[in-house]
Amino acid sequence: MIFFELSQRNIRLNWLRSLLAVLGIVIGVAAIASMGILGNSLTLSVTASLSSVGDSVTVVPSIGGGGMGGPTTANEQITDRQVQQILRAAAPNDVVPVYSGVDRYEIGGDRGVVTVYGITPEDMAVLVDLADGVYPRTTGGALAGATFAENNKLKPGSRLTLGGETIRVVGILEEQGMGFDINPDFALIVSDRFYSHKYEQDGYDMVIVKVRDINDIDAVKDAIDRTLNRRGDDVVTVYDSRAILEVITEAFNQIALFTTAIGGISLLVAGVSIFNVQMMSVTERIKEIGIIRSIGTKRGEVLRMFIYESLILGGVGAGIGGILSFAGGYVVSIIMLQTTEYLFYPSSLVYIPYGIAIGLVVTLLSGLYPAWKAANLNPIEALRYE
Amino acid sequence: MEEDIGPAGPGNGTQPVIRLEGVSKVYSLPFGDVIALDKVSLTIMPGEFIAIMGPSGSGKSTLLNLIGSLDVPSEGRLYIDGEDTSELSDDELTELRRDHIGFIFQQFNLIPLLNVFENVEYPMILKTRQSIRKSRKAHDLLMRIGLTDSMLAHKPKELSGGQQQRVAIARALINDPAILLCDEPTGNLDTKTGEVIMDLLKEVNASGKTVIMVTHDPDVATYASRKITLVDGRIV
């Protein structure tokens, strides 16, 4: 079309300032897209490091009894019968009943207080990983959390006194990080039999269900809730670590949004420069607009001619910016995350077409007023303009 | 010519090509209205060669703008090729200019971004909506008007004034308009070149086009078959 041809030629005629306007869009699109990629990669990497704890459902006794006032059931612990119910409701996932408490310890001459978990030795591997030693085979063996072991210089074979009874550390746990079910780093893990015998406790303090497929979490949660809280009383509270994880992910998404907004500011500046270039183009060509209007060019056609012009600038800029944003995302990922594995996720790459589309919309909006102004010039006055 | 239902056709002046009935044009300025044209009535028949004369500020340009449908009267009626311009939208006025009127300016006013050939083709592309391709019509017209093949690829500014005005004439004729409007067509040319251009216009007129020309050069005005003189917005 002739108007497209004219737009192209005018851009070529004023190549330097067209180049600068394109550069602005390139930077804007590259900034917005690579920031988006970075933010998304950040969220993905945080989610990945947390997802090892994101697959468990925790069942604890309800606090404060059930129903309207009145101490109905003194349900402060989870009974064997309830564990069986949970097993059935959560099948085929692993169900680990856990005793948990706090006791005094003594190592050499040092005394202190430590969290103690009581778990069936066969189930320990489900919840924790060993860094050294073995899982306990007798009631007298215990596992020491990574931080607890380090602070007290414990090794497999070390002895300590727990609540007056001597036990032997047979294994040291790997550092676990923050967990939402149990926090073993600062704790001791003993066998369930040792625990129930020593503290004369029958009921469990919590039951942890490790869900194999993370998408089943809600179903498992509902099944347990339905089975145990049958009469409308809150006998147990069921929560999943995923809900907590979602809060954290949400926070990182906010950060991602913020970084993208910073990219948006540079795109806004680019929009202003397109506006400026187009206003200059219109002002310089008033006489020409008068000529083409007088020999039969309609308003809409003049409008189109100038819109094309800004779209060419925006299209070229957004295209180059899109390519550069991939490179930019690569570089930023390496610097900030030391890895590029999250760059190739669709949820990261989608920021490139997003960036390009936003870039095009910004140029279209900035080109609109100059084009409208050109189209609505009075042809007689425009012809007289020198 | 391309008129099919012949009001301005070659039927020897049955219908006027331009008719003004009590046309006034008033410009509102902050310090009062300026009456550029004062109840002008005028009839121009097909095939006439009109010279509009008069001192500066007499309303010549205003009259030309009205006839060229670049502007509409404040009062009165103006018919161009049978159409009442006061009832037309901006797009319809633009189409009227594109299809029925050819413009020739003192400054030549060729489009600097287009080369000679494209300048001539431009109004045809506007009308036929076809993309640029080497049309025989534009080429023939340029050759007839006295340009050579080697000039066609040049930008207008690389041509002499006389050559540019020839290109402008070719551009004005490309859509076979009924009316040719010339605003001081020789004003930027030396006497000799001016004569050549006027001979060309005379020839165009002889082929049946109505030529309306604003000038204040009495020698140029002798080419016209009728002179209209304006003073203070009135025909005298």
Side-chain angles (χ1 to χ4, degrees):
Chain A
M1 199 50 208
I2 184 125
F3 305 112
F4 190 76
E5 183 69 29
L6 279 169
S7 315
Q8 245 180 315
R9 286 187 192 187
N10 191 54
I11 287 171
R12 245 181 281 147
L13 191 68
N14 301 296
W15 63 271
L16 183 58
R17 73 175 188 219
S18 303
L19 196 73
L20 293 175
V22 165
L23 196 64
I25 292 290
V26 168
I27 292 169
V29 168
I32 205 168
S34 48
M35 283 300 167
I37 289 172
L38 171 67
N40 190 64
S41 301
L42 199 63
T43 309
L44 282 176
S45 76
V46 170
T47 315
S49 69
L50 283 176
S51 71
S52 57
V53 297
D55 55 356
S56 61
V57 170
T58 308
V59 186
V60 294
S62 268
I63 305 159
M68 304 289 198
T72 45
T73 43
N75 193 32
E76 285 157 358
Q77 286 164 354
I78 296 172
T79 63
D80 272 330
R81 221 187 101 228
Q82 286 170 323
V83 172
Q84 292 305 317
Q85 287 179 314
I86 293 170
L87 256 170
R88 277 196 298 276
N93 298 296
D94 292 321
V95 173
V96 184
V98 178
Y99 297 109
S100 107
V102 177
D103 201 359
R104 274 196 288 271
Y105 71 89
E106 197 184 326
I107 303 168
D110 295 336
R111 287 154 190 252
V113 173
V114 65
T115 304
V116 183
Y117 293 112
I119 303 170
T120 322
E122 300 85 67
D123 285 341
M124 285 183 186
V126 175
L127 295 186
V128 291
D129 295 319
L130 281 184
D132 198 3
V134 292
Y135 290 105
R137 269 169 302 227
T138 60
T139 49
L143 299 175
T147 316
F148 182 72
E150 200 190 319
N151 290 349
N152 295 293
K153 300 184 182 64
L154 293 176
K155 285 192 286 289
S158 303
R159 281 168 198 283
L160 65 106
T161 319
L162 184 68
E165 224 166 304
T166 303
I167 55 168
R168 211 161 68 92
V169 174
V170 296
I172 308 294
L173 300 179
E174 258 185 34
E175 191 161 342
Q176 205 82 4
M178 187 156 90
F180 303 114
D181 35 24
I182 58 172
N183 281 299
D185 284 358
F186 297 89
L188 276 175
I189 297 179
V190 297
S191 73
D192 57 330
R193 265 201 268 158
F194 175 85
Y195 193 102
S196 65
H197 183 258
K198 175 157 177 52
Y199 302 106
E200 293 171 352
Q201 187 178 326
D202 289 330
Y204 297 98
D205 294 290
M206 64 168 94
V207 175
I208 295 165
V209 181
K210 281 284 170 191
V211 181
R212 283 174 198 164
D213 184 350
I214 201 151
N215 296 317
D216 288 341
I217 274 196
D218 283 327
V220 170
K221 213 175 132 184
D222 286 349
I224 296 170
D225 193 51
R226 249 184 291 119
T227 318
L228 277 87
N229 297 332
R230 197 176 286 161
R231 281 165 300 172
D233 296 340
D234 274 349
V235 180
V236 293
T237 305
V238 186
Y239 63 88
D240 64 310
S241 44
R242 202 186 50 174
I244 302 163
L245 211 59
E246 267 166 14
V247 175
I248 293 173
T249 311
E250 177 68 13
F252 273 94
N253 279 336
Q254 297 280 337
I255 295 172
L257 188 69
F258 179 72
T259 54
T260 311
I262 292 172
I265 291 169
S266 57
L267 199 55
L268 192 73
V269 174
V272 171
S273 104
I274 293 263
F275 183 88
N276 189 31
V277 163
Q278 287 304 101
M279 284 310 281
M280 272 161 72
S281 175
V282 171
T283 314
E284 277 171 10
R285 294 163 76 192
I286 288 179
K287 172 102 176 175
E288 192 185 325
I289 294 164
I291 297 169
I292 63 172
R293 286 282 283 130
S294 68
I295 63 174
T297 312
K298 291 177 190 171
R299 275 183 190 160
E301 291 166 336
V302 174
L303 185 85
R304 247 164 53 208
M305 191 169 94
F306 281 90
I307 294 274
Y308 285 155
E309 206 172 305
S310 49
L311 277 184
I312 292 172
L313 297 178
V316 171
I320 297 173
I323 295 165
L324 284 187
S325 63
F326 185 78
Y330 191 88
V331 171
V332 176
S333 291
I334 283 197
I335 294 172
M336 305 271 294
L337 303 171
Q338 280 86 41
T339 172
T340 55
E341 65 173 302
Y342 303 112
L343 182 60
F344 300 97
Y345 278 67
S347 58
S348 289
L349 291 178
V350 80
Y351 280 94
I352 294 174
Y354 273 0
I356 292 174
I358 296 171
L360 284 177
V361 168
V362 165
T363 41
L364 187 63
L365 288 179
S366 341
L368 222 49
Y369 174 75
W372 178 86
K373 200 181 156 182
N376 285 285
L377 285 173
N378 179 332
I380 298 169
E381 283 165 23
L383 262 180
R384 226 180 276 144
Y385 188 88
E386 287 301 328
Chain B
M1 302 219 201
E2 61 149 21
E3 290 83 297
D4 8 282
I5 10 169
N12 215 12
T14 44
Q15 280 268 346
V17 68
I18 288 162
R19 188 153 53 95
L20 286 81
E21 288 175 2
V23 165
S24 298
K25 184 70 194 176
V26 181
Y27 293 107
S28 296
L29 294 179
F31 303 105
D33 292 348
V34 173
I35 302 169
L37 278 185
D38 191 5
K39 298 194 182 67
V40 169
S41 294
L42 175 66
T43 305
I44 298 171
M45 302 308 277
E48 280 198 277
F49 194 146
I50 309 265
I52 299 172
M53 304 195 66
S56 310
S58 60
K60 302 191 299 284
S61 297
T62 305
L63 182 61
L64 203 69
N65 287 339
L66 286 175
I67 295 172
S69 74
L70 283 164
D71 210 346
V72 287
S74 315
E75 227 178 88
R77 302 221 163 255
L78 165 59
Y79 300 91
I80 296 172
D81 241 3
E83 290 214 68
D84 186 349
T85 60
S86 59
E87 284 167 9
L88 299 180
S89 69
D90 189 81
D91 273 1
E92 287 166 330
L93 284 173
T94 308
E95 277 173 22
L96 190 67
R97 291 200 291 275
R98 184 188 73 194
D99 301 343
H100 299 273
I101 299 163
F103 285 89
I104 292 159
F105 305 94
Q106 182 179 359
Q107 311 277 355
F108 323 130
N109 285 353
L110 298 169
I111 302 165
L113 286 174
L114 301 178
N115 68 28
V116 166
F117 191 80
E118 290 162 341
N119 259 287
V120 175
E121 262 192 332
Y122 181 84
M124 191 170 76
I125 292 166
L126 286 183
K127 188 178 175 183
T128 60
R129 323 232 119 248
Q130 272 163 359
S131 56
I132 295 180
R133 58 186 170 79
K134 301 280 164 209
S135 90
R136 275 196 66 82
K137 192 176 177 188
H139 185 262
D140 288 354
L141 201 52
L142 277 161
M143 294 301 115
R144 237 193 306 146
I145 230 88
L147 271 85
T148 61
D149 275 319
S150 59
M151 296 175 186
L152 303 187
H154 285 272
K155 289 286 160 70
K157 289 282 176 276
E158 296 160 1
L159 266 53
S160 72
Q163 287 162 340
Q164 285 189 55
Q165 197 61 301
R166 283 170 196 264
V167 176
I169 292 170
R171 176 179 74 180
L173 293 173
I174 190 78
N175 278 343
D176 264 329
I179 306 151
L180 211 55
L181 289 184
C182 317
D183 188 1
E184 303 275 9
T186 60
N188 264 18
L189 302 173
D190 59 78
T191 322
K192 199 154 171 274
T193 317
E195 277 172 18
V196 175
I197 293 296
M198 285 316 297
D199 286 337
L200 208 52
L201 287 177
K202 187 86 190 160
E203 216 178 287
V204 170
N205 174 243
S207 75
K209 312 266 183 223
T210 308
V211 178
I212 301 164
M213 172 177 70
V214 162
T215 183
H216 47 233
D217 183 341
D219 290 339
V220 169
T222 55
Y223 284 87
S225 56
R226 176 151 69 115
K227 282 179 215 170
I228 293 166
T229 308
L230 282 173
V231 176
D232 293 336
R234 289 170 206 216
I235 295 174
V236 293

